[in-house]
Amino acid sequence: MSADNCYLIDLPQFSDQRGSLAFAEVGQHVPFELRRIYYLYGVPPTAERGAHGHRELEQLIIAMAGSVDIEVDDGRQRRSFRLDDPARALYVCPLIWRDLRRFSPDAVVLVLASLPYDENDYFRDYPSFLEAVANPCR
């Protein structure tokens, strides 16, 4: 996989005097079967989250409130994204290292995941991640 395979998705939204509604449908806006949902909140602006990669997991990340910067890294190339609109999501494919930084004080970040939690799917240290993406057949 490549950092180029990570991309922003504009979610459908409707707004009127009552407020706004945005949605994501599996198979249309979510490019995988949804198996887990979790969210980050109360993250101090100086804290960093992520700092890991996944072997098989796919994710769709949405800043439901506030903002967050996300850097994706495939071992050769890095790309940065700022999420600050609840009608825009970031798709992160497998074999990508991700770092989440610069959370606004009010940030609530929703993550839709393709698999249940499995510690064996994680790369927890960057050198191991780099070795795996350099030798994908191992």
Side-chain angles (χ1 to χ4, degrees):
M1 289 291 168
S2 161
D4 289 332
N5 295 112
C6 300
Y7 55 89
L8 293 170
I9 297 172
D10 289 319
L11 302 174
Q13 63 178 331
F14 300 97
S15 297
D16 63 21
Q17 68 277 5
R18 301 169 297 162
S20 298
L21 178 145
F23 65 93
E25 294 181 354
V26 173
Q28 188 164 8
H29 313 103
V30 181
F32 51 80
E33 181 182 338
L34 184 59
R35 300 292 307 276
R36 181 169 51 122
I37 300 170
Y38 63 94
Y39 50 96
L40 306 168
Y41 62 97
V43 179
T46 58
E48 295 186 10
R49 300 292 310 237
H52 66 267
H54 290 281
R55 288 171 172 78
E56 296 182 24
L57 184 78
E58 298 173 78
Q59 295 178 317
L60 200 64
I61 305 172
I62 306 168
M64 301 303 293
S67 62
V68 63
D69 291 345
I70 303 174
E71 184 176 83
V72 295
D73 176 349
D74 63 16
R76 296 172 310 281
Q77 169 183 277
R78 293 179 183 189
R79 295 180 66 198
S80 295
F81 299 90
R82 180 159 188 80
L83 294 180
D84 59 4
D85 179 347
R88 177 167 276 186
L90 175 63
Y91 171 74
V92 181
C93 61
L95 296 176
I96 296 292
W97 189 267
R98 79 276 336 267
D99 290 300
L100 287 75
R101 301 182 178 104
R102 292 179 281 286
F103 288 81
S104 65
D106 60 339
V108 178
V109 178
L110 178 70
V111 181
L112 309 179
S114 65
L115 297 170
Y117 175 81
D118 178 2
E119 183 59 33
N120 294 320
D121 187 57
Y122 281 76
F123 294 104
R124 294 288 186 182
D125 67 274
Y126 193 66
S128 296
F129 168 76
L130 289 177
E131 182 179 333
V133 296
N135 302 297
C137 294
R138 286 186 180 184

